[in-house]
PDB file of all heavy atoms in Angstrom:
ATOM      1  N   GLU A 183       9.918   6.485  -2.896  1.00 90.00           N
ATOM      2  CA  GLU A 183      10.825   7.642  -2.848  1.00 90.00           C
ATOM      3  C   GLU A 183      10.097   8.936  -3.153  1.00 90.00           C
ATOM      4  O   GLU A 183      10.305   9.941  -2.483  1.00 90.00           O
ATOM      5  CB  GLU A 183      11.963   7.460  -3.864  1.00 90.00           C
ATOM      6  CG  GLU A 183      13.108   6.639  -3.362  1.00 90.00           C
ATOM      7  CD  GLU A 183      14.243   6.627  -4.370  1.00 90.00           C
ATOM      8  OE1 GLU A 183      14.736   7.709  -4.748  1.00 90.00           O
ATOM      9  OE2 GLU A 183      14.635   5.519  -4.772  1.00 90.00           O
ATOM     10  N   VAL A 184       9.229   8.901  -4.168  1.00 88.00           N
ATOM     11  CA  VAL A 184       8.495  10.106  -4.569  1.00 88.00           C
ATOM     12  C   VAL A 184       7.581  10.580  -3.449  1.00 88.00           C
ATOM     13  O   VAL A 184       7.535  11.759  -3.117  1.00 88.00           O
ATOM     14  CB  VAL A 184       7.680   9.842  -5.860  1.00 88.00           C
ATOM     15  CG1 VAL A 184       6.700  10.969  -6.123  1.00 88.00           C
ATOM     16  CG2 VAL A 184       8.605   9.662  -7.050  1.00 88.00           C
ATOM     17  N   ILE A 185       6.845   9.642  -2.846  1.00 89.00           N
ATOM     18  CA  ILE A 185       5.848  10.008  -1.836  1.00 89.00           C
ATOM     19  C   ILE A 185       6.473  10.183  -0.457  1.00 89.00           C
ATOM     20  O   ILE A 185       5.957  10.909   0.380  1.00 89.00           O
ATOM     21  CB  ILE A 185       4.713   8.947  -1.802  1.00 89.00           C
ATOM     22  CG1 ILE A 185       3.990   8.948  -3.147  1.00 89.00           C
ATOM     23  CG2 ILE A 185       3.730   9.221  -0.688  1.00 89.00           C
ATOM     24  CD1 ILE A 185       2.903   7.909  -3.266  1.00 89.00           C
ATOM     25  N   GLY A 186       7.582   9.501  -0.221  1.00 91.00           N
ATOM     26  CA  GLY A 186       8.239   9.617   1.079  1.00 91.00           C
ATOM     27  C   GLY A 186       7.709   8.637   2.108  1.00 91.00           C
ATOM     28  O   GLY A 186       7.616   8.970   3.294  1.00 91.00           O
ATOM     29  N   ILE A 187       7.330   7.442   1.649  1.00 91.00           N
ATOM     30  CA  ILE A 187       6.878   6.391   2.560  1.00 91.00           C
ATOM     31  C   ILE A 187       7.649   5.111   2.218  1.00 91.00           C
ATOM     32  O   ILE A 187       8.385   5.080   1.232  1.00 91.00           O
ATOM     33  CB  ILE A 187       5.349   6.151   2.452  1.00 91.00           C
ATOM     34  CG1 ILE A 187       4.945   5.742   1.029  1.00 91.00           C
ATOM     35  CG2 ILE A 187       4.581   7.375   2.911  1.00 91.00           C
ATOM     36  CD1 ILE A 187       3.468   5.400   0.878  1.00 91.00           C
ATOM     37  N   SER A 188       7.464   4.076   3.013  1.00 93.00           N
ATOM     38  CA  SER A 188       8.185   2.825   2.754  1.00 93.00           C
ATOM     39  C   SER A 188       7.558   2.090   1.568  1.00 93.00           C
ATOM     40  O   SER A 188       6.401   2.309   1.216  1.00 93.00           O
ATOM     41  CB  SER A 188       8.142   1.927   3.993  1.00 93.00           C
ATOM     42  OG  SER A 188       6.828   1.448   4.204  1.00 93.00           O
ATOM     43  N   GLU A 189       8.347   1.193   1.000  1.00 92.00           N
ATOM     44  CA  GLU A 189       7.860   0.406  -0.129  1.00 92.00           C
ATOM     45  C   GLU A 189       6.684  -0.472   0.289  1.00 92.00           C
ATOM     46  O   GLU A 189       5.721  -0.637  -0.458  1.00 92.00           O
ATOM     47  CB  GLU A 189       9.001  -0.452  -0.685  1.00 92.00           C
ATOM     48  CG  GLU A 189       8.676  -1.133  -1.980  1.00 92.00           C
ATOM     49  CD  GLU A 189       9.872  -1.847  -2.590  1.00 92.00           C
ATOM     50  OE1 GLU A 189      11.021  -1.549  -2.233  1.00 92.00           O
ATOM     51  OE2 GLU A 189       9.633  -2.738  -3.435  1.00 92.00           O
ATOM     52  N   SER A 190       6.742  -1.018   1.495  1.00 93.00           N
ATOM     53  CA  SER A 190       5.632  -1.854   1.960  1.00 93.00           C
ATOM     54  C   SER A 190       4.368  -1.016   2.155  1.00 93.00           C
ATOM     55  O   SER A 190       3.255  -1.486   1.890  1.00 93.00           O
ATOM     56  CB  SER A 190       5.995  -2.598   3.243  1.00 93.00           C
ATOM     57  OG  SER A 190       6.337  -1.693   4.261  1.00 93.00           O
ATOM     58  N   ALA A 191       4.512   0.237   2.571  1.00 93.00           N
ATOM     59  CA  ALA A 191       3.347   1.124   2.698  1.00 93.00           C
ATOM     60  C   ALA A 191       2.739   1.419   1.328  1.00 93.00           C
ATOM     61  O   ALA A 191       1.515   1.528   1.194  1.00 93.00           O
ATOM     62  CB  ALA A 191       3.731   2.420   3.404  1.00 93.00           C
ATOM     63  N   VAL A 192       3.594   1.522   0.309  1.00 92.00           N
ATOM     64  CA  VAL A 192       3.098   1.721  -1.062  1.00 92.00           C
ATOM     65  C   VAL A 192       2.270   0.516  -1.487  1.00 92.00           C
ATOM     66  O   VAL A 192       1.178   0.656  -2.042  1.00 92.00           O
ATOM     67  CB  VAL A 192       4.271   1.950  -2.052  1.00 92.00           C
ATOM     68  CG1 VAL A 192       3.788   1.891  -3.496  1.00 92.00           C
ATOM     69  CG2 VAL A 192       4.956   3.272  -1.779  1.00 92.00           C
ATOM     70  N   LYS A 193       2.781  -0.680  -1.215  1.00 93.00           N
ATOM     71  CA  LYS A 193       2.050  -1.901  -1.575  1.00 93.00           C
ATOM     72  C   LYS A 193       0.685  -1.947  -0.901  1.00 93.00           C
ATOM     73  O   LYS A 193      -0.316  -2.295  -1.535  1.00 93.00           O
ATOM     74  CB  LYS A 193       2.871  -3.141  -1.188  1.00 93.00           C
ATOM     75  CG  LYS A 193       4.102  -3.332  -2.026  1.00 93.00           C
ATOM     76  CD  LYS A 193       4.906  -4.528  -1.541  1.00 93.00           C
ATOM     77  CE  LYS A 193       6.213  -4.649  -2.291  1.00 93.00           C
ATOM     78  NZ  LYS A 193       7.026  -5.776  -1.810  1.00 93.00           N
ATOM     79  N   VAL A 194       0.650  -1.574   0.356  1.00 93.00           N
ATOM     80  CA  VAL A 194      -0.616  -1.572   1.097  1.00 93.00           C
ATOM     81  C   VAL A 194      -1.576  -0.545   0.492  1.00 93.00           C
ATOM     82  O   VAL A 194      -2.758  -0.828   0.280  1.00 93.00           O
ATOM     83  CB  VAL A 194      -0.381  -1.298   2.604  1.00 93.00           C
ATOM     84  CG1 VAL A 194      -1.683  -1.030   3.332  1.00 93.00           C
ATOM     85  CG2 VAL A 194       0.370  -2.451   3.237  1.00 93.00           C
ATOM     86  N   ARG A 195      -1.063   0.649   0.203  1.00 92.00           N
ATOM     87  CA  ARG A 195      -1.919   1.688  -0.383  1.00 92.00           C
ATOM     88  C   ARG A 195      -2.477   1.254  -1.727  1.00 92.00           C
ATOM     89  O   ARG A 195      -3.649   1.494  -2.034  1.00 92.00           O
ATOM     90  CB  ARG A 195      -1.147   3.004  -0.562  1.00 92.00           C
ATOM     91  CG  ARG A 195      -1.104   3.841   0.675  1.00 92.00           C
ATOM     92  CD  ARG A 195      -0.663   5.240   0.354  1.00 92.00           C
ATOM     93  NE  ARG A 195      -0.308   5.931   1.581  1.00 92.00           N
ATOM     94  CZ  ARG A 195       0.177   7.151   1.625  1.00 92.00           C
ATOM     95  NH1 ARG A 195       0.400   7.825   0.511  1.00 92.00           N
ATOM     96  NH2 ARG A 195       0.459   7.719   2.775  1.00 92.00           N
ATOM     97  N   ILE A 196      -1.634   0.631  -2.550  1.00 92.00           N
ATOM     98  CA  ILE A 196      -2.093   0.197  -3.868  1.00 92.00           C
ATOM     99  C   ILE A 196      -3.141  -0.901  -3.721  1.00 92.00           C
ATOM    100  O   ILE A 196      -4.173  -0.883  -4.404  1.00 92.00           O
ATOM    101  CB  ILE A 196      -0.912  -0.249  -4.752  1.00 92.00           C
ATOM    102  CG1 ILE A 196      -0.090   0.990  -5.154  1.00 92.00           C
ATOM    103  CG2 ILE A 196      -1.394  -1.012  -5.988  1.00 92.00           C
ATOM    104  CD1 ILE A 196       1.188   0.691  -5.899  1.00 92.00           C
ATOM    105  N   PHE A 197      -2.889  -1.842  -2.833  1.00 93.00           N
ATOM    106  CA  PHE A 197      -3.856  -2.914  -2.605  1.00 93.00           C
ATOM    107  C   PHE A 197      -5.207  -2.338  -2.181  1.00 93.00           C
ATOM    108  O   PHE A 197      -6.256  -2.690  -2.721  1.00 93.00           O
ATOM    109  CB  PHE A 197      -3.326  -3.886  -1.542  1.00 93.00           C
ATOM    110  CG  PHE A 197      -4.315  -4.938  -1.151  1.00 93.00           C
ATOM    111  CD1 PHE A 197      -4.541  -6.039  -1.962  1.00 93.00           C
ATOM    112  CD2 PHE A 197      -5.050  -4.819   0.030  1.00 93.00           C
ATOM    113  CE1 PHE A 197      -5.468  -7.006  -1.606  1.00 93.00           C
ATOM    114  CE2 PHE A 197      -5.981  -5.779   0.396  1.00 93.00           C
ATOM    115  CZ  PHE A 197      -6.188  -6.880  -0.432  1.00 93.00           C
ATOM    116  N   ARG A 198      -5.183  -1.426  -1.211  1.00 94.00           N
ATOM    117  CA  ARG A 198      -6.422  -0.824  -0.722  1.00 94.00           C
ATOM    118  C   ARG A 198      -7.091   0.038  -1.790  1.00 94.00           C
ATOM    119  O   ARG A 198      -8.318   0.064  -1.912  1.00 94.00           O
ATOM    120  CB  ARG A 198      -6.151  -0.006   0.530  1.00 94.00           C
ATOM    121  CG  ARG A 198      -5.803  -0.874   1.730  1.00 94.00           C
ATOM    122  CD  ARG A 198      -5.495  -0.046   2.957  1.00 94.00           C
ATOM    123  NE  ARG A 198      -5.173  -0.918   4.087  1.00 94.00           N
ATOM    124  CZ  ARG A 198      -4.545  -0.509   5.174  1.00 94.00           C
ATOM    125  NH1 ARG A 198      -4.176   0.764   5.302  1.00 94.00           N
ATOM    126  NH2 ARG A 198      -4.294  -1.349   6.149  1.00 94.00           N
ATOM    127  N   ALA A 199      -6.268   0.752  -2.557  1.00 92.00           N
ATOM    128  CA  ALA A 199      -6.813   1.609  -3.613  1.00 92.00           C
ATOM    129  C   ALA A 199      -7.485   0.772  -4.693  1.00 92.00           C
ATOM    130  O   ALA A 199      -8.570   1.118  -5.169  1.00 92.00           O
ATOM    131  CB  ALA A 199      -5.701   2.469  -4.218  1.00 92.00           C
ATOM    132  N   LEU A 200      -6.866  -0.345  -5.072  1.00 92.00           N
ATOM    133  CA  LEU A 200      -7.474  -1.223  -6.076  1.00 92.00           C
ATOM    134  C   LEU A 200      -8.780  -1.831  -5.566  1.00 92.00           C
ATOM    135  O   LEU A 200      -9.751  -1.958  -6.313  1.00 92.00           O
ATOM    136  CB  LEU A 200      -6.491  -2.332  -6.487  1.00 92.00           C
ATOM    137  CG  LEU A 200      -5.346  -1.890  -7.391  1.00 92.00           C
ATOM    138  CD1 LEU A 200      -4.324  -3.001  -7.546  1.00 92.00           C
ATOM    139  CD2 LEU A 200      -5.872  -1.438  -8.748  1.00 92.00           C
ATOM    140  N   LYS A 201      -8.774  -2.188  -4.299  1.00 93.00           N
ATOM    141  CA  LYS A 201      -9.975  -2.743  -3.678  1.00 93.00           C
ATOM    142  C   LYS A 201     -11.105  -1.706  -3.707  1.00 93.00           C
ATOM    143  O   LYS A 201     -12.233  -2.012  -4.106  1.00 93.00           O
ATOM    144  CB  LYS A 201      -9.645  -3.154  -2.240  1.00 93.00           C
ATOM    145  CG  LYS A 201     -10.725  -3.896  -1.524  1.00 93.00           C
ATOM    146  CD  LYS A 201     -10.211  -4.333  -0.150  1.00 93.00           C
ATOM    147  CE  LYS A 201     -11.327  -4.623   0.792  1.00 93.00           C
ATOM    148  NZ  LYS A 201     -10.855  -4.865   2.156  1.00 93.00           N
ATOM    149  N   ASP A 202     -10.804  -0.472  -3.313  1.00 93.00           N
ATOM    150  CA  ASP A 202     -11.802   0.603  -3.323  1.00 93.00           C
ATOM    151  C   ASP A 202     -12.237   0.943  -4.749  1.00 93.00           C
ATOM    152  O   ASP A 202     -13.410   1.232  -4.997  1.00 93.00           O
ATOM    153  CB  ASP A 202     -11.261   1.857  -2.636  1.00 93.00           C
ATOM    154  CG  ASP A 202     -11.141   1.701  -1.134  1.00 93.00           C
ATOM    155  OD1 ASP A 202     -11.562   0.653  -0.598  1.00 93.00           O
ATOM    156  OD2 ASP A 202     -10.602   2.623  -0.485  1.00 93.00           O
ATOM    157  N   LEU A 203     -11.281   0.929  -5.676  1.00 91.00           N
ATOM    158  CA  LEU A 203     -11.597   1.215  -7.071  1.00 91.00           C
ATOM    159  C   LEU A 203     -12.585   0.184  -7.609  1.00 91.00           C
ATOM    160  O   LEU A 203     -13.557   0.534  -8.285  1.00 91.00           O
ATOM    161  CB  LEU A 203     -10.327   1.221  -7.927  1.00 91.00           C
ATOM    162  CG  LEU A 203     -10.505   1.553  -9.404  1.00 91.00           C
ATOM    163  CD1 LEU A 203     -10.980   2.994  -9.576  1.00 91.00           C
ATOM    164  CD2 LEU A 203      -9.195   1.343 -10.155  1.00 91.00           C
ATOM    165  N   LYS A 204     -12.365  -1.072  -7.285  1.00 91.00           N
ATOM    166  CA  LYS A 204     -13.263  -2.137  -7.730  1.00 91.00           C
ATOM    167  C   LYS A 204     -14.668  -1.933  -7.155  1.00 91.00           C
ATOM    168  O   LYS A 204     -15.663  -2.045  -7.878  1.00 91.00           O
ATOM    169  CB  LYS A 204     -12.720  -3.501  -7.302  1.00 91.00           C
ATOM    170  CG  LYS A 204     -13.584  -4.651  -7.753  1.00 91.00           C
ATOM    171  CD  LYS A 204     -13.018  -5.976  -7.292  1.00 91.00           C
ATOM    172  CE  LYS A 204     -13.950  -7.109  -7.732  1.00 91.00           C
ATOM    173  NZ  LYS A 204     -13.596  -8.376  -7.148  1.00 91.00           N
ATOM    174  N   VAL A 205     -14.748  -1.615  -5.862  1.00 93.00           N
ATOM    175  CA  VAL A 205     -16.054  -1.373  -5.231  1.00 93.00           C
ATOM    176  C   VAL A 205     -16.755  -0.195  -5.903  1.00 93.00           C
ATOM    177  O   VAL A 205     -17.943  -0.278  -6.241  1.00 93.00           O
ATOM    178  CB  VAL A 205     -15.888  -1.140  -3.708  1.00 93.00           C
ATOM    179  CG1 VAL A 205     -17.165  -0.618  -3.081  1.00 93.00           C
ATOM    180  CG2 VAL A 205     -15.418  -2.409  -3.021  1.00 93.00           C
ATOM    181  N   ASN A 206     -16.019   0.901  -6.097  1.00 90.00           N
ATOM    182  CA  ASN A 206     -16.603   2.086  -6.742  1.00 90.00           C
ATOM    183  C   ASN A 206     -17.080   1.761  -8.156  1.00 90.00           C
ATOM    184  O   ASN A 206     -18.169   2.172  -8.567  1.00 90.00           O
ATOM    185  CB  ASN A 206     -15.584   3.228  -6.806  1.00 90.00           C
ATOM    186  CG  ASN A 206     -15.295   3.834  -5.459  1.00 90.00           C
ATOM    187  OD1 ASN A 206     -16.038   3.643  -4.503  1.00 90.00           O
ATOM    188  ND2 ASN A 206     -14.195   4.561  -5.373  1.00 90.00           N
ATOM    189  N   TYR A 207     -16.255   1.030  -8.900  1.00 89.00           N
ATOM    190  CA  TYR A 207     -16.603   0.678 -10.278  1.00 89.00           C
ATOM    191  C   TYR A 207     -17.866  -0.182 -10.310  1.00 89.00           C
ATOM    192  O   TYR A 207     -18.763   0.058 -11.116  1.00 89.00           O
ATOM    193  CB  TYR A 207     -15.433  -0.046 -10.951  1.00 89.00           C
ATOM    194  CG  TYR A 207     -15.670  -0.335 -12.416  1.00 89.00           C
ATOM    195  CD1 TYR A 207     -15.351   0.607 -13.389  1.00 89.00           C
ATOM    196  CD2 TYR A 207     -16.223  -1.534 -12.837  1.00 89.00           C
ATOM    197  CE1 TYR A 207     -15.570   0.358 -14.728  1.00 89.00           C
ATOM    198  CE2 TYR A 207     -16.454  -1.800 -14.174  1.00 89.00           C
ATOM    199  CZ  TYR A 207     -16.123  -0.853 -15.122  1.00 89.00           C
ATOM    200  OH  TYR A 207     -16.347  -1.105 -16.450  1.00 89.00           O
ATOM    201  N   GLU A 208     -17.925  -1.180  -9.436  1.00 90.00           N
ATOM    202  CA  GLU A 208     -19.084  -2.067  -9.413  1.00 90.00           C
ATOM    203  C   GLU A 208     -20.357  -1.312  -9.036  1.00 90.00           C
ATOM    204  O   GLU A 208     -21.433  -1.583  -9.582  1.00 90.00           O
ATOM    205  CB  GLU A 208     -18.835  -3.249  -8.471  1.00 90.00           C
ATOM    206  CG  GLU A 208     -17.825  -4.228  -9.034  1.00 90.00           C
ATOM    207  CD  GLU A 208     -17.387  -5.308  -8.056  1.00 90.00           C
ATOM    208  OE1 GLU A 208     -17.697  -5.191  -6.838  1.00 90.00           O
ATOM    209  OE2 GLU A 208     -16.733  -6.255  -8.505  1.00 90.00           O
ATOM    210  N   LYS A 209     -20.259  -0.375  -8.097  1.00 90.00           N
ATOM    211  CA  LYS A 209     -21.429   0.438  -7.734  1.00 90.00           C
ATOM    212  C   LYS A 209     -21.894   1.274  -8.916  1.00 90.00           C
ATOM    213  O   LYS A 209     -23.097   1.350  -9.200  1.00 90.00           O
ATOM    214  CB  LYS A 209     -21.099   1.360  -6.554  1.00 90.00           C
ATOM    215  CG  LYS A 209     -21.023   0.671  -5.223  1.00 90.00           C
ATOM    216  CD  LYS A 209     -20.674   1.664  -4.125  1.00 90.00           C
ATOM    217  CE  LYS A 209     -20.510   0.989  -2.772  1.00 90.00           C
ATOM    218  NZ  LYS A 209     -20.082   1.946  -1.733  1.00 90.00           N
ATOM    219  N   LEU A 210     -20.941   1.902  -9.599  1.00 88.00           N
ATOM    220  CA  LEU A 210     -21.293   2.721 -10.761  1.00 88.00           C
ATOM    221  C   LEU A 210     -21.875   1.864 -11.881  1.00 88.00           C
ATOM    222  O   LEU A 210     -22.816   2.279 -12.561  1.00 88.00           O
ATOM    223  CB  LEU A 210     -20.055   3.480 -11.263  1.00 88.00           C
ATOM    224  CG  LEU A 210     -19.571   4.612 -10.374  1.00 88.00           C
ATOM    225  CD1 LEU A 210     -18.183   5.069 -10.795  1.00 88.00           C
ATOM    226  CD2 LEU A 210     -20.549   5.771 -10.397  1.00 88.00           C
ATOM    227  N   GLU A 211     -21.327   0.680 -12.053  1.00 85.00           N
ATOM    228  CA  GLU A 211     -21.817  -0.235 -13.075  1.00 85.00           C
ATOM    229  C   GLU A 211     -23.259  -0.656 -12.767  1.00 85.00           C
ATOM    230  O   GLU A 211     -24.101  -0.712 -13.674  1.00 85.00           O
ATOM    231  CB  GLU A 211     -20.892  -1.460 -13.127  1.00 85.00           C
ATOM    232  CG  GLU A 211     -20.950  -2.245 -14.405  1.00 85.00           C
ATOM    233  CD  GLU A 211     -19.867  -3.312 -14.443  1.00 85.00           C
ATOM    234  OE1 GLU A 211     -19.570  -3.918 -13.389  1.00 85.00           O
ATOM    235  OE2 GLU A 211     -19.330  -3.548 -15.531  1.00 85.00           O
ATOM    236  N   LEU A 212     -23.546  -0.915 -11.505  1.00 86.00           N
ATOM    237  CA  LEU A 212     -24.888  -1.292 -11.088  1.00 86.00           C
ATOM    238  C   LEU A 212     -25.882  -0.160 -11.334  1.00 86.00           C
ATOM    239  O   LEU A 212     -26.960  -0.376 -11.892  1.00 86.00           O
ATOM    240  CB  LEU A 212     -24.887  -1.685  -9.604  1.00 86.00           C
ATOM    241  CG  LEU A 212     -26.219  -2.137  -9.027  1.00 86.00           C
ATOM    242  CD1 LEU A 212     -26.703  -3.408  -9.729  1.00 86.00           C
ATOM    243  CD2 LEU A 212     -26.095  -2.380  -7.537  1.00 86.00           C
ATOM    244  N   VAL A 213     -25.496   1.050 -10.932  1.00 85.00           N
ATOM    245  CA  VAL A 213     -26.365   2.212 -11.152  1.00 85.00           C
ATOM    246  C   VAL A 213     -26.584   2.414 -12.648  1.00 85.00           C
ATOM    247  O   VAL A 213     -27.708   2.685 -13.086  1.00 85.00           O
ATOM    248  CB  VAL A 213     -25.746   3.482 -10.522  1.00 85.00           C
ATOM    249  CG1 VAL A 213     -26.470   4.740 -10.957  1.00 85.00           C
ATOM    250  CG2 VAL A 213     -25.732   3.359  -9.006  1.00 85.00           C
ATOM    251  N   ASN A 214     -25.537   2.254 -13.425  1.00 77.00           N
ATOM    252  CA  ASN A 214     -25.613   2.441 -14.869  1.00 77.00           C
ATOM    253  C   ASN A 214     -26.520   1.396 -15.520  1.00 77.00           C
ATOM    254  O   ASN A 214     -27.297   1.708 -16.410  1.00 77.00           O
ATOM    255  CB  ASN A 214     -24.213   2.384 -15.478  1.00 77.00           C
ATOM    256  CG  ASN A 214     -24.127   3.064 -16.826  1.00 77.00           C
ATOM    257  OD1 ASN A 214     -24.872   3.982 -17.102  1.00 77.00           O
ATOM    258  ND2 ASN A 214     -23.205   2.602 -17.638  1.00 77.00           N
ATOM    259  N   SER A 215     -26.434   0.157 -15.060  1.00 76.00           N
ATOM    260  CA  SER A 215     -27.251  -0.910 -15.634  1.00 76.00           C
ATOM    261  C   SER A 215     -28.726  -0.747 -15.261  1.00 76.00           C
ATOM    262  O   SER A 215     -29.607  -1.162 -15.994  1.00 76.00           O
ATOM    263  CB  SER A 215     -26.741  -2.279 -15.190  1.00 76.00           C
ATOM    264  OG  SER A 215     -26.982  -2.494 -13.812  1.00 76.00           O
TER     265      SER A 215
END
């Protein structure tokens, strides 16, 4: 409702965002180590 998209689109965005967040985190963790 807030964003103005369907609930299923929210689920897809969150899934993709979490996937990208994990990749970004792992890359940063590798560089840091």
Side-chain angles (χ1 to χ4, degrees):
E183 276 186 57
V184 168
I185 296 177
I187 59 176
S188 69
E189 189 173 341
S190 59
V192 169
K193 291 177 185 178
V194 169
R195 276 195 194 177
I196 289 174
F197 174 78
R198 290 178 180 162
L200 286 171
K201 187 176 159 188
D202 289 355
L203 182 65
K204 181 181 178 189
V205 169
N206 289 343
Y207 185 87
E208 288 171 348
K209 285 179 183 176
L210 289 167
E211 201 172 37
L212 181 63
V213 169
N214 202 28
S215 70

